[in-house]
Amino acid sequence: EGGGQHRQPPHPLLRHLGMGDEVRVATAFYDHCTLIHVHMAPLVVTILTSPNANIGSIRSIAIPLLTTLLQPVKSSINTSRRAAAVANANMANGMHLHHGHHSGMAGYYHG
């Protein structure tokens, strides 16, 4: 990536729930496990731990390390999405040009 970070629009319910415009990490505590969801656009990583896991260490050490390790995957996904968007735009432009070509031929009689 050229220095810019991919941002997805916030979910419309976040503001109504008093969660601001963006949630990067959500942690849910259950009797037998703890779930940590980490939003690393365009990825969402879920970490499942035991209830007695050190959440502070996970958030301060493991998640930054995981973010670094997943950077090539994120870049690949973003590159793939950009290529697909360009291909779709080219296909749409090609269909438009192709359609325009036929409409110009509509006055000709081939008999």
Side-chain angles (χ1 to χ4, degrees), residues 48-67:
L48 178 64
T49 71
S50 65
N52 59 351
N54 187 333
I55 304 302
S57 290
I58 292 171
R59 290 187 66 148
S60 66
I61 298 169
I63 291 175
L65 180 60
L66 190 59
T67 301

Side-chain angles (χ1 to χ4, degrees), residues 26-43:
T27 306
F29 297 92
Y30 298 98
D31 292 337
H32 301 288
C33 68
T34 300
L35 289 171
I36 304 169
H37 295 284
V38 185
H39 183 236
M40 302 176 189
L43 303 172

Side-chain angles (χ1 to χ4, degrees), residues 4-41:
Q5 186 175 1
H6 177 74
R7 296 279 181 173
Q8 293 183 345
H11 190 280
L13 293 178
L14 291 179
R15 184 164 290 142
H16 297 295
L17 294 173
M19 300 177 80
D21 288 336
E22 201 172 299
V23 173
R24 295 215 175 253
V25 179
T27 306
F29 297 92
Y30 298 98
D31 292 337
H32 301 288
C33 68
T34 300
L35 289 171
I36 304 169
H37 295 284
V38 185
H39 183 236
M40 302 176 189

